[in-house]
mmCIF file of all heavy atoms in Angstrom:
data_model
loop_
_atom_site.group_PDB
_atom_site.id
_atom_site.type_symbol
_atom_site.label_atom_id
_atom_site.label_comp_id
_atom_site.label_asym_id
_atom_site.label_seq_id
_atom_site.Cartn_x
_atom_site.Cartn_y
_atom_site.Cartn_z
ATOM 1 N N TYR A 36 97.609 75.145 63.972
ATOM 2 C CA TYR A 36 96.598 74.364 63.283
ATOM 3 C C TYR A 36 95.774 73.623 64.330
ATOM 4 O O TYR A 36 96.278 73.219 65.374
ATOM 5 C CB TYR A 36 97.237 73.326 62.356
ATOM 6 C CG TYR A 36 97.744 73.874 61.043
ATOM 7 C CD1 TYR A 36 98.967 74.530 60.970
ATOM 8 C CD2 TYR A 36 96.996 73.727 59.880
ATOM 9 C CE1 TYR A 36 99.436 75.025 59.764
ATOM 10 C CE2 TYR A 36 97.470 74.210 58.659
ATOM 11 C CZ TYR A 36 98.683 74.857 58.613
ATOM 12 O OH TYR A 36 99.142 75.339 57.420
ATOM 13 N N GLN A 38 93.340 70.214 64.700
ATOM 14 C CA GLN A 38 93.020 68.954 64.039
ATOM 15 C C GLN A 38 92.022 68.179 64.883
ATOM 16 O O GLN A 38 92.342 67.708 65.969
ATOM 17 C CB GLN A 38 94.286 68.115 63.813
ATOM 18 C CG GLN A 38 94.032 66.839 63.031
ATOM 19 C CD GLN A 38 95.304 66.057 62.748
ATOM 20 O OE1 GLN A 38 96.358 66.294 63.333
ATOM 21 N NE2 GLN A 38 95.235 65.121 61.819
ATOM 22 N N PRO A 44 94.435 68.639 59.478
ATOM 23 C CA PRO A 44 94.657 69.912 60.184
ATOM 24 C C PRO A 44 94.050 71.087 59.410
ATOM 25 O O PRO A 44 94.015 71.075 58.183
ATOM 26 C CB PRO A 44 96.184 70.023 60.229
ATOM 27 C CG PRO A 44 96.702 68.650 59.976
ATOM 28 C CD PRO A 44 95.698 67.997 59.084
ATOM 29 N N LEU A 88 98.358 71.840 66.696
ATOM 30 C CA LEU A 88 99.729 71.708 66.216
ATOM 31 C C LEU A 88 100.306 73.084 65.936
ATOM 32 O O LEU A 88 99.671 73.898 65.261
ATOM 33 C CB LEU A 88 99.797 70.885 64.927
ATOM 34 C CG LEU A 88 99.267 69.461 64.942
ATOM 35 C CD1 LEU A 88 97.847 69.387 64.416
ATOM 36 C CD2 LEU A 88 100.149 68.554 64.096
ATOM 37 N N PRO A 99 106.476 74.101 56.288
ATOM 38 C CA PRO A 99 106.550 74.272 57.734
ATOM 39 C C PRO A 99 107.045 73.023 58.444
ATOM 40 O O PRO A 99 106.862 71.903 57.959
ATOM 41 C CB PRO A 99 105.094 74.575 58.114
ATOM 42 C CG PRO A 99 104.275 73.978 57.029
ATOM 43 C CD PRO A 99 105.107 74.004 55.791
ATOM 44 N N THR A 100 107.662 73.251 59.566
ATOM 45 C CA THR A 100 108.014 72.174 60.482
ATOM 46 C C THR A 100 106.959 72.161 61.577
ATOM 47 O O THR A 100 106.714 73.180 62.218
ATOM 48 C CB THR A 100 109.408 72.408 61.092
ATOM 49 O OG1 THR A 100 110.374 72.447 60.043
ATOM 50 C CG2 THR A 100 109.755 71.285 62.057
ATOM 51 N N PHE A 101 106.354 71.005 61.760
ATOM 52 C CA PHE A 101 105.246 70.887 62.706
ATOM 53 C C PHE A 101 105.713 70.330 64.032
ATOM 54 O O PHE A 101 106.605 69.467 64.088
ATOM 55 C CB PHE A 101 104.168 69.949 62.152
ATOM 56 C CG PHE A 101 103.321 70.556 61.071
ATOM 57 C CD1 PHE A 101 103.742 70.537 59.747
ATOM 58 C CD2 PHE A 101 102.088 71.125 61.370
ATOM 59 C CE1 PHE A 101 102.961 71.088 58.748
ATOM 60 C CE2 PHE A 101 101.302 71.672 60.378
ATOM 61 C CZ PHE A 101 101.735 71.664 59.070
ATOM 62 N N GLY A 102 105.081 70.813 65.098
ATOM 63 C CA GLY A 102 105.200 70.146 66.374
ATOM 64 C C GLY A 102 104.346 68.894 66.358
ATOM 65 O O GLY A 102 103.545 68.679 65.448
ATOM 66 N N ARG A 103 104.522 68.055 67.379
ATOM 67 C CA ARG A 103 103.779 66.794 67.408
ATOM 68 C C ARG A 103 102.310 66.988 67.753
ATOM 69 O O ARG A 103 101.507 66.091 67.568
ATOM 70 C CB ARG A 103 104.433 65.843 68.402
ATOM 71 C CG ARG A 103 105.731 65.241 67.894
ATOM 72 C CD ARG A 103 106.300 64.285 68.905
ATOM 73 N NE ARG A 103 105.325 63.257 69.276
ATOM 74 C CZ ARG A 103 105.507 62.387 70.250
ATOM 75 N NH1 ARG A 103 106.610 62.421 70.969
ATOM 76 N NH2 ARG A 103 104.593 61.484 70.535
ATOM 77 N N GLY A 104 101.968 68.171 68.255
ATOM 78 C CA GLY A 104 100.577 68.434 68.592
ATOM 79 C C GLY A 104 100.285 68.174 70.057
ATOM 80 O O GLY A 104 100.861 67.267 70.664
ATOM 81 N N TYR B 35 102.095 64.643 53.346
ATOM 82 C CA TYR B 35 102.600 64.523 54.715
ATOM 83 C C TYR B 35 102.270 63.140 55.259
ATOM 84 O O TYR B 35 101.267 62.535 54.887
ATOM 85 C CB TYR B 35 101.933 65.543 55.637
ATOM 86 C CG TYR B 35 102.298 66.990 55.386
ATOM 87 C CD1 TYR B 35 101.590 67.752 54.459
ATOM 88 C CD2 TYR B 35 103.329 67.596 56.104
ATOM 89 C CE1 TYR B 35 101.908 69.082 54.241
ATOM 90 C CE2 TYR B 35 103.651 68.936 55.905
ATOM 91 C CZ TYR B 35 102.934 69.673 54.963
ATOM 92 O OH TYR B 35 103.240 70.999 54.762
ATOM 93 N N GLN B 36 103.110 62.701 56.170
ATOM 94 C CA GLN B 36 102.855 61.462 56.908
ATOM 95 C C GLN B 36 102.697 61.829 58.384
ATOM 96 O O GLN B 36 103.501 62.602 58.921
ATOM 97 C CB GLN B 36 104.034 60.502 56.745
ATOM 98 C CG GLN B 36 103.881 59.185 57.491
ATOM 99 C CD GLN B 36 105.196 58.405 57.540
ATOM 100 O OE1 GLN B 36 106.197 58.893 58.071
ATOM 101 N NE2 GLN B 36 105.206 57.201 56.985
ATOM 102 N N GLN B 37 101.669 61.305 59.009
ATOM 103 C CA GLN B 37 101.449 61.576 60.435
ATOM 104 C C GLN B 37 101.398 60.264 61.204
ATOM 105 O O GLN B 37 100.543 59.420 60.962
ATOM 106 C CB GLN B 37 100.171 62.370 60.663
ATOM 107 C CG GLN B 37 99.987 62.819 62.110
ATOM 108 C CD GLN B 37 98.755 63.678 62.299
ATOM 109 O OE1 GLN B 37 97.685 63.398 61.775
ATOM 110 N NE2 GLN B 37 98.896 64.778 63.048
ATOM 111 N N SER B 38 102.320 60.125 62.135
ATOM 112 C CA SER B 38 102.308 58.963 63.013
ATOM 113 C C SER B 38 102.386 59.439 64.446
ATOM 114 O O SER B 38 102.761 60.588 64.701
ATOM 115 C CB SER B 38 103.482 58.026 62.691
ATOM 116 O OG SER B 38 104.705 58.701 62.874
ATOM 117 N N GLN B 41 106.159 60.259 65.396
ATOM 118 C CA GLN B 41 106.892 61.274 64.626
ATOM 119 C C GLN B 41 106.106 62.550 64.395
ATOM 120 O O GLN B 41 106.657 63.550 63.952
ATOM 121 C CB GLN B 41 107.315 60.702 63.262
ATOM 122 C CG GLN B 41 108.348 59.600 63.349
ATOM 123 C CD GLN B 41 109.680 60.122 63.829
ATOM 124 O OE1 GLN B 41 110.110 61.215 63.488
ATOM 125 N NE2 GLN B 41 110.342 59.350 64.675
ATOM 126 N N GLY B 42 104.822 62.531 64.635
ATOM 127 C CA GLY B 42 104.032 63.716 64.330
ATOM 128 C C GLY B 42 103.836 63.873 62.834
ATOM 129 O O GLY B 42 103.931 62.912 62.072
ATOM 130 N N LEU B 43 103.582 65.084 62.413
ATOM 131 C CA LEU B 43 103.310 65.380 61.003
ATOM 132 C C LEU B 43 104.624 65.684 60.292
ATOM 133 O O LEU B 43 105.286 66.662 60.593
ATOM 134 C CB LEU B 43 102.350 66.567 60.914
ATOM 135 C CG LEU B 43 101.661 66.833 59.581
ATOM 136 C CD1 LEU B 43 100.777 65.655 59.195
ATOM 137 C CD2 LEU B 43 100.827 68.103 59.675
ATOM 138 N N GLN B 44 104.968 64.820 59.347
ATOM 139 C CA GLN B 44 106.238 64.954 58.649
ATOM 140 C C GLN B 44 105.984 65.251 57.172
ATOM 141 O O GLN B 44 105.246 64.528 56.510
ATOM 142 C CB GLN B 44 107.033 63.644 58.763
ATOM 143 C CG GLN B 44 107.379 63.236 60.178
ATOM 144 C CD GLN B 44 108.553 64.010 60.725
ATOM 145 O OE1 GLN B 44 109.570 64.171 60.066
ATOM 146 N NE2 GLN B 44 108.403 64.511 61.936
ATOM 147 N N PHE B 45 106.657 66.279 56.675
ATOM 148 C CA PHE B 45 106.542 66.648 55.272
ATOM 149 C C PHE B 45 107.271 65.618 54.409
ATOM 150 O O PHE B 45 108.407 65.246 54.701
ATOM 151 C CB PHE B 45 107.132 68.042 55.053
ATOM 152 C CG PHE B 45 107.363 68.398 53.619
ATOM 153 C CD1 PHE B 45 106.291 68.637 52.770
ATOM 154 C CD2 PHE B 45 108.648 68.509 53.119
ATOM 155 C CE1 PHE B 45 106.498 68.977 51.451
ATOM 156 C CE2 PHE B 45 108.869 68.851 51.793
ATOM 157 C CZ PHE B 45 107.799 69.083 50.956
ATOM 158 N N LEU B 88 98.841 57.893 59.076
ATOM 159 C CA LEU B 88 97.904 58.716 58.320
ATOM 160 C C LEU B 88 98.696 59.480 57.275
ATOM 161 O O LEU B 88 99.741 60.063 57.593
ATOM 162 C CB LEU B 88 97.220 59.728 59.241
ATOM 163 C CG LEU B 88 95.944 59.320 59.934
ATOM 164 C CD1 LEU B 88 95.595 60.327 61.020
ATOM 165 C CD2 LEU B 88 94.806 59.214 58.936
ATOM 166 N N PHE B 90 98.447 62.558 54.673
ATOM 167 C CA PHE B 90 97.658 63.727 54.311
ATOM 168 C C PHE B 90 98.204 64.371 53.045
ATOM 169 O O PHE B 90 99.410 64.445 52.833
ATOM 170 C CB PHE B 90 97.681 64.777 55.431
ATOM 171 C CG PHE B 90 96.868 64.402 56.628
ATOM 172 C CD1 PHE B 90 97.470 63.961 57.785
ATOM 173 C CD2 PHE B 90 95.488 64.514 56.597
ATOM 174 C CE1 PHE B 90 96.719 63.621 58.899
ATOM 175 C CE2 PHE B 90 94.720 64.180 57.698
ATOM 176 C CZ PHE B 90 95.342 63.729 58.848
ATOM 177 N N PHE B 107 94.336 71.127 54.052
ATOM 178 C CA PHE B 107 94.567 69.698 54.188
ATOM 179 C C PHE B 107 93.319 68.893 53.838
ATOM 180 O O PHE B 107 92.190 69.284 54.151
ATOM 181 C CB PHE B 107 94.983 69.356 55.615
ATOM 182 C CG PHE B 107 96.414 69.688 55.934
ATOM 183 C CD1 PHE B 107 96.797 70.984 56.203
ATOM 184 C CD2 PHE B 107 97.374 68.686 55.957
ATOM 185 C CE1 PHE B 107 98.122 71.288 56.491
ATOM 186 C CE2 PHE B 107 98.704 68.982 56.251
ATOM 187 C CZ PHE B 107 99.074 70.286 56.517
#
Side-chain angles (χ1 to χ4, degrees):
Chain A
Y36 282 80
Q38 185 177 14
L88 301 97
T100 299
F101 284 85
R103 285 182 55 188
Chain B
Y35 291 87
Q36 179 192 60
Q37 187 177 43
S38 60
Q41 293 292 322
L43 195 62
Q44 299 281 314
F45 166 70
L88 271 168
F90 287 104
F107 283 78

